[in-house]
Amino acid sequence: MWDAALVALERFASLSHLGMLLAGVLAGTVIGILPGLGGIACVAILLPFIYTLDVHTAMVLLIGSLAVVHTSDTITSVLIGTPGSAAAAATILDGHPLAKQGQAARALSAAFLSSMIGGLIGTLFLTLSLPIARPLVLLFGSPELLMLCVLGLSFAGFLTGGAPLKGGLAACLGLLLGSVGAAPAEAVYRYTFDQLYLADGIPLVGVALGIFGITEIVDLLAKGGRIAERVDLGEGWLQGVRDVVQHWGIVVRGSLIGVWAGILPGIGATAGSWMAYGHVVAMSRDKEQFGKGDIRGVIAPESANNSVEAGDLIPTLLFSVPGGAPAAILLGALYFYGIQPGPRMVQENLDLIFTIIWSFAFANAIGAGICLFLSPALARLTWVPFGRLAPAIVVTIFLGAFQSSQDFGDLFALLALGLLGWLMKQLGWPRAPFLVGFVLAKPTEQYLWLSISLYDLEWLLRPGVIALGLLLLASIFWMMFEKRRGKQRPVEESSDEAVLLGKAPSVLFTLCVAVVSGAALYEARSFPYLGAIFPVAAAVPTIFMAVAQLFFELRAPGMTSGFETQAKIRKALGYFSSLLLLFLMIWLLGFGIATALFTFFFLYASAGMRWFPALIYTGAMVGVALFMGWLLGLYWPQGLLLGLYRAS
Amino acid sequence: MKNMRFKARPPMRWLAALGLSLALATQALGAAPYYEGKTIETIIPFPVAGGSDIWIRIIGPYLEKQIPGNPKFNYRNIAGARGIPGMMEFAMKAKADGFLLLVSSATNYFPVLLGDKAAKYDFRQWKPLLVNPVGGIMYASPAAGVKRVEDLARAKNLIYGGISAIGLDMIPLISFELLEMDARGVLGFKGRGEARLAFERGETNIDYQTTPAYNAQVVPLIKEGKAIPLMTFGQLDEHGNIVRDPAVPDLPTVPEVYEKLKGKKPSGKFWDTYKVFMPSAFAVQKILWVKADAPAEVPAVFYAAAERLEKDKEFLTKTDKILGGYPLLRGDRLEKTIQQAFQIDADTQRFVKEWVGRKYRVKFD
């Protein structure tokens, strides 16, 4: 085994290998930074090159890029509260408040370092478990995987903060949204309203970008000025390094959680990083600062999200069963070279496995190094007037969302969920449980479906299920015990900001939630038994909780909102309209013209730029956006007006 | 594969030869090859790095070399929603010039066979250029009391893991009904790989894999005594008859097993259903299409390229695993079979929908 490791290592002495690794790392770093673009985009861009290389070099390039995506995606999460990829959303909760407090450099360097160490621990674990991985993976049947998903969902409880009822409601809404589309065996299509777009469900990228990204951008714009009002220059990043050293235990635990989330099929990077976040909140004695900028809330998810990718290689290489989308593409690339991963892979292609492992380790170190080096400079971005950054961010978010299925539905979902996220934030509803519910909805339902189909109710008696069930009960008791001791304090994103909307909108929103879930329940009566379990299980508690919430809200004293809040709300709605306008313009005029008009007028009219620099900015922006679109193979539909003009 | 018997019928061969000589003649007369300096855009209604995507991307460069004028192939993936948007894009955008092609797979045929109203595309307007069969091999666990294929008649409580009753899994599910086995399908797995994991864990005890996955994943299990190979779904000969799979010629086909168990030729509703659905699922699974009214030299150059590739050593060794041990066939050889494969009589369609709806609770709108 170790001979193969050395043979593979020797290859890295050659310039072509190192060059490919660097190229991959650079591509991955850039793509990771762009909101909404992650591993899949990386591969889509690199694929044409990959098909011309030999298998070892191709793997170096591919792994080089995949390994660093979850390192660099932290940058957007921390700086602008917009997830660089869906898996980076957990880092927002504490990373972004830190940036707003002017500690962006500290948050970034802590994130990069823990991401790197997490990735390296993941690699080590991957290497050590190669000989024993097969039986380990076979240990987990559908019922055990179901229990793991439920355990992950229960962690959402730790994210509900001071408003457990609203948190529970948000999680159930996430589950409900996740049940849109085909039920597991495609036996029935639920809540699709005959729209083909909804048949596969709403893409995760759109949900994460909408609920966090659009919300945060509109909020920052409405607030005006810069992201951070003061910036600690200088020693910030050293502080981040010290934080990681001090909390080394969290790094180790986080990366082990990540590796396991990767090894078990169906959990994935997004759920893995949330679990790591939930565990650190659960295990910390002092929780006051979580959600307001606690560095531990950055370290935990970051150490997990890289090691997930390492863990994911085990089912991919030993069973041909990819855990996440990037691994599925990696598998496709291996097929391309005529390699069918499987039990014989360890005997026949051990040196290839080690090429992959070494690439992963090196790419991690190099990628984190580059990001660490850049972090002081990046931190200064929080000092740029946000109005000037906004058009570029909005355009990349639209690009990233559109990339997931290249349908106008992507953009529509992005804006609709952006509005939902904004309302939730202004009404004090935590958004994290919503995302966790959405992410885990599909796997939870799949394994529930399979467990019942395979074992009826006997699955409840399996030893693994009982053990995980006890763990679940323990975590629930722990949560309640802590609450009674009054130790549990608000864990809520950006709770340092006052909520803007008052009593009447609050009541109206809750009423809407109740009505929507009632309608969902009514609709579910036509679904076959197995397809109905899940939507009913999500809708019924939602209705009860919404009624209870309504009761509390009606009894609460009304707030009179000041002049300043009203101005802020008006501003936010104005920015929402401008996003809607961009959407309509893309539809009418096509992407290129729409982006140009939006960018220019936004800079000129709203951000107060002079016309000449605004024109240059616009030109550069449109050029880059079209180039990216070309690289990603995006086909923007022709504008409706242009189509009419040509047809006449 | 050498022992696969696909032969063009004489008139077909004549036509092809005529087309080819025409194409060659125009070239000889000094006219530039049709595709010289051109780009061929190929729509793939599946995600990047999926089976169909890899299939076309690996043969694409060889076609670029073989087609006169060396056109460049561009690939465009329009994934999701059961492949329907991708198919519709081709149906709407393709002109009679042969510069836009389409790759299709089983997922695209089943909605048509099941009468899905969203699938508003008509294969009769298109012409198959290249065809690649896919094979499927069934195996069972010795723990289920199956040591040989004959034991299937007596085996009790067989459990099969699948993805969806209205996809490829329909073929094994129909086989169970045809052979009157005591077997049921548990559907909802994310892929065939996960279904195989469930087999290895003992959650299911009968399974199938496509040929490449069978060779890499199941053959080691057979050697360890953890799996018993049973039968294949078969392939088609030039007359559309179901014959043994050339990649695993030692295993009997489903209809052969029927004869062995029942002592007579298969017949009845389930046999009719099997004959309709098996070709789309396996025997003519991957197809490269062009619009039917494209100029005659378009299909001719593709057929000629397929003939040359059949003898190209480098192509054969490099693509062996991707093509699954089956030859890349000229579209005209199977054109009739293919067009027949997408026809279904109203009776059979009603029967299938009723059966899947009742047994696997699939809801059709």
Side-chain angles (χ1 to χ4, degrees), chain A residues 506-592:
Chain A
S506 220
V507 170
L508 205 64
F509 185 78
T510 315
L511 205 60
C512 278
V513 169
V515 170
V516 166
S517 41
L521 189 64
Y522 180 75
E523 186 74 11
R525 99 213 116 86
S526 67
F527 303 154
Y529 162 66
L530 274 175
I533 293 181
F534 206 70
V536 170
V540 171
T542 316
I543 295 173
F544 279 114
M545 284 193 284
V547 170
Q549 175 69 21
L550 214 55
F551 176 72
F552 287 126
E553 271 166 11
L554 285 170
R555 281 185 36 168
M559 283 191 301
T560 42
S561 50
F563 178 74
E564 215 173 302
T565 0
Q566 283 180 2
K568 239 179 173 177
I569 293 170
R570 262 202 303 279
K571 255 180 149 175
L573 292 179
Y575 285 115
F576 262 118
S577 328
S578 74
L579 292 180
L580 197 64
L581 200 66
L582 173 62
F583 172 68
L584 289 175
M585 282 200 300
I586 293 176
W587 186 54
L588 288 172
L589 303 170
F591 180 72

Side-chain angles (χ1 to χ4, degrees), chain A residues 289-345:
Chain A
Q289 285 306 310
F290 279 109
K292 294 178 190 163
D294 190 316
I295 198 73
R296 289 172 299 179
V298 173
I299 294 173
E302 281 304 314
S303 46
N305 61 13
N306 261 26
S307 58
V308 170
E309 304 297 328
D312 205 354
L313 291 172
I314 286 181
T316 310
L317 296 178
L318 298 186
F319 292 94
S320 283
V321 175
I329 292 172
L330 180 73
L331 198 60
L334 284 170
Y335 289 157
F336 185 83
Y337 291 100
I339 294 167
Q340 263 271 336
R344 282 179 299 193
M345 182 102 179

Side-chain angles (χ1 to χ4, degrees), chain A residues 80 221 381 384-396 592 595-604 607-626:
Chain A
I80 36 183
L221 282 171
L381 277 177
V384 176
F386 188 69
R388 302 198 171 178
L389 293 176
I393 298 167
V394 167
V395 170
T396 33
T595 317
L597 287 175
F598 173 80
T599 312
F600 182 77
F601 283 108
F602 195 97
L603 290 171
Y604 185 72
M609 237 187 201
R610 269 196 265 225
W611 70 269
F612 187 67
L615 211 60
I616 293 178
Y617 186 136
T618 305
M621 189 61 234
V622 173
V624 170
L626 290 179

